[in-house]
Amino acid sequence: MLVSSNIYNHLSSDLVPKKRNTTHKSSELHEVYTNMARYNKKTPLYLLNFSQSKQSQIINIKEAAMTLKEVSDCFTNTDSDVYNKKVLHSDNTDSITGSFKNGDLSTLPEELSIQVKTLAKEQINTGNYLPQDDKALSAGSYTFTLSTINSSSHFNITVGKDDTNSDIQQRISQYINNRNLGINASVVSDGKNSAIMLSSKESGVPSTDDGLHFSLEAAGEPNIVDAFGLDKVTTPPSNSQFTINGEEHTSTSNQISINQIIELDFHKPTSNPVHISFIPDTNVSISQIDMFVDAYNNLVDLSEDSRHVNPGSRSLYRDISVIVDKHKEELESAGLSLSEDNKLIKNDEQLLKSIQSGKFNELFQDISSFKDDVSNAANRLSLDPIAYINKLIVTYPNTQQQSSSVYNKSLYSGLMYNNYA
């Protein structure tokens, strides 16, 4: 049963192997060896012609079979991402959204009930609305001081004889923004009138004597602060007020962290509690199911190349159809059905419902014969994918002879590649 070593290194550009992270226990490897030895003992010696198309077919059969097994194991293993990767669900995303950070979800209750009473607000100063083309100040040099929590900044504004209120407002806004003081300055209009608006980048009540993020002062008469109303606080800073499972809380921000595990964003106050829950990420399950469907359908396509072969080759479709034929009703109720060309197709709506209810996962539980049929078919295909191509029998096996080197009897049984299995 010796074969050319070319098949081990045959990986064309469209057959780049997957980066598999699976590991095996010694008992699992022993089982693979035992199965290979048992299989080879009953296998004839074949004469094979490894054409390009045959090599591609063999690799694709094994690749698809391994994918079926991996997906089945993923749904079977309760420690996999299918069960343990969660997403945060809010039943009122207009008011509260959120995401996971890091940490152990088991330290949080299964559900949080949150009611937002008030949002945190930044400080906003809205100046005097003045006619844009008028002149509130005569030509000259004017100074003012803008004090923040961390520093005080001095500004000198030169007013020319032709400068209008709008010109001076734009100049003040530009000067403040250029200093990067944690204050956003802009000019707002109301018809032909305009005013300077100053707002703190930080929300919430700061720990200052006046409870403000910034203040402005100017000396002399007339002064630029009074003329443009720069010190008029129209919205004082405030904290957000909310309850978590009935317990009162406040925050200087509208984004809070709970146990450094989740972050919640408040968008508007709520009249009723918003329920936050942690549910399995259906995208993980759907991704795995897509892999399963693609692998099965790929085997159906490959089986077209195996139907008109000599009697010595098994039928690929016969060996894979058992996966779905016996479980047609179960699969349909879970969101998978067979098309006219014997391929699996998804009913996205039904599939999502079955994932969320846990019905789809039941297909792969220990009591499910579906899982066993997938495993048996995948093991059979991956153990010897060469069984599904044309080959010439040279001699029949000597079942009485014992071999101590199973790999010498069949270099292709198991079809192992360099850095790929």
Side-chain angles (χ1 to χ4, degrees):
M1 295 174 64
L2 298 179
V3 298
S4 170
S5 62
N6 289 338
I7 192 167
Y8 296 99
N9 298 313
H10 172 73
L11 291 172
S12 63
S13 59
D14 59 339
L15 288 172
V16 177
K18 294 182 179 180
K19 297 294 184 181
R20 301 185 184 275
N21 297 318
T22 53
T23 57
H24 301 277
K25 300 177 182 178
S26 59
S27 59
E28 293 174 322
L29 295 175
H30 182 268
E31 182 181 359
V32 172
Y33 179 91
T34 301
N35 289 337
M36 290 171 63
R38 184 183 302 113
Y39 180 82
N40 288 325
K41 184 178 180 181
K42 302 177 182 179
T43 302
L45 176 64
Y46 293 114
L47 180 63
L48 300 171
N49 175 21
F50 282 114
S51 64
Q52 184 82 4
S53 61
K54 284 185 179 179
Q55 291 184 69
S56 296
Q57 183 183 10
I58 292 167
I59 292 174
N60 282 324
I61 289 173
K62 186 172 179 70
E63 178 66 43
M66 294 171 70
T67 299
L68 293 180
K69 185 67 165 60
E70 285 182 359
V71 173
S72 177
D73 290 343
C74 185
F75 278 100
T76 301
N77 182 10
T78 56
D79 293 328
S80 71
D81 285 348
V82 166
Y83 300 97
N84 294 317
K85 189 173 182 180
K86 307 283 187 179
V87 292
L88 186 146
H89 176 263
S90 168
D91 65 0
N92 185 349
T93 55
D94 289 336
S95 297
I96 302 177
T97 57
S99 61
F100 285 112
K101 295 176 68 177
N102 294 308
D104 184 5
L105 273 178
S106 64
T107 62
L108 295 177
E110 293 184 359
E111 184 176 281
L112 298 172
S113 177
I114 300 177
Q115 183 166 2
V116 181
K117 296 182 178 180
T118 60
L119 294 178
K121 296 179 181 178
E122 67 274 16
Q123 176 186 343
I124 299 176
N125 287 20
T126 306
N128 299 328
Y129 279 91
L130 303 173
Q132 295 175 348
D133 296 330
D134 284 359
K135 300 176 182 178
L137 292 175
S138 58
S141 180
Y142 299 86
T143 62
F144 68 91
T145 300
L146 194 160
S147 299
T148 64
I149 297 175
N150 299 315
S151 64
S152 292
S153 299
H154 304 285
F155 294 84
N156 189 301
I157 306 294
T158 299
V159 178
K161 64 178 182 178
D162 295 325
D163 286 339
T164 64
N165 292 330
S166 178
D167 294 332
I168 300 171
Q169 288 168 342
Q170 294 291 347
R171 196 173 303 155
I172 292 173
S173 296
Q174 181 180 356
Y175 285 3
I176 292 175
N177 287 331
N178 287 344
R179 294 283 186 92
N180 294 319
L181 301 173
I183 298 172
N184 293 318
S186 60
V187 177
V188 293
S189 300
D190 182 10
K192 294 183 178 181
N193 299 326
S194 59
I196 294 177
M197 178 179 288
L198 305 175
S199 61
S200 61
K201 291 184 179 179
E202 297 291 333
S203 61
V205 180
S207 56
T208 56
D209 293 339
D210 57 5
L212 299 176
H213 287 277
F214 62 90
S215 60
L216 297 97
E217 294 180 347
E221 288 292 339
N223 71 62
I224 198 168
V225 171
D226 290 340
F228 287 89
L230 302 181
D231 58 348
K232 291 173 57 177
V233 180
T234 50
T235 302
S238 61
N239 295 331
S240 61
Q241 296 181 328
F242 55 96
T243 63
I244 300 178
N245 293 341
E247 184 177 343
E248 298 280 348
H249 294 272
T250 62
S251 173
T252 59
S253 171
N254 291 315
Q255 183 181 75
I256 67 168
S257 174
I258 299 180
N259 292 357
Q260 298 299 313
I261 298 175
I262 62 172
E263 282 186 349
L264 297 177
D265 295 297
F266 300 154
H267 304 293
K268 65 180 183 180
T270 62
S271 55
N272 297 305
V274 177
H275 297 97
I276 305 295
S277 55
F278 315 108
I279 60 176
D281 187 353
T282 56
N283 289 329
V284 176
S285 295
I286 290 174
S287 175
Q288 291 292 321
I289 294 167
D290 285 339
M291 291 171 57
F292 187 93
V293 170
D294 290 344
Y296 183 86
N297 290 342
N298 188 29
L299 287 171
V300 173
D301 289 334
L302 291 169
S303 70
E304 295 293 332
D305 300 328
S306 302
R307 291 187 179 181
H308 304 290
V309 296
N310 62 40
S313 295
R314 297 205 303 265
S315 167
L316 177 59
Y317 184 74
R318 181 194 65 204
D319 283 357
I320 63 170
S321 61
V322 67
I323 295 176
V324 295
D325 286 349
K326 289 170 53 180
H327 310 278
K328 187 175 181 181
E329 292 184 2
E330 297 172 73
L331 289 170
E332 287 180 348
S333 64
L336 296 177
S337 57
L338 277 179
S339 63
E340 292 182 358
D341 56 355
N342 297 314
K343 292 185 178 181
L344 284 174
I345 54 176
K346 297 189 303 178
N347 180 329
D348 291 330
E349 183 178 352
Q350 181 66 23
L351 187 61
L352 183 59
K353 289 180 180 178
S354 69
I355 292 172
Q356 292 174 339
S357 66
K359 189 172 185 178
F360 187 90
N361 298 6
E362 291 176 359
L363 289 170
F364 297 91
Q365 300 308 306
D366 290 338
I367 59 175
S368 171
S369 60
F370 176 77
K371 182 197 73 170
D372 293 336
D373 289 337
V374 171
S375 180
N376 292 336
N379 289 337
R380 183 165 56 250
L381 269 60
S382 60
L383 182 64
D384 187 12
I386 294 180
Y388 304 99
I389 66 169
N390 270 323
K391 49 197 174 295
L392 180 64
I393 296 178
V394 177
T395 63
Y396 287 95
N398 182 358
T399 59
Q400 303 302 316
Q401 181 182 357
Q402 300 297 320
S403 173
S404 60
S405 181
V406 65
Y407 296 108
N408 286 340
K409 285 198 80 175
S410 175
L411 291 180
Y412 58 78
S413 184
L415 206 62
M416 294 178 290
Y417 311 100
N418 295 333
N419 304 318
Y420 178 56

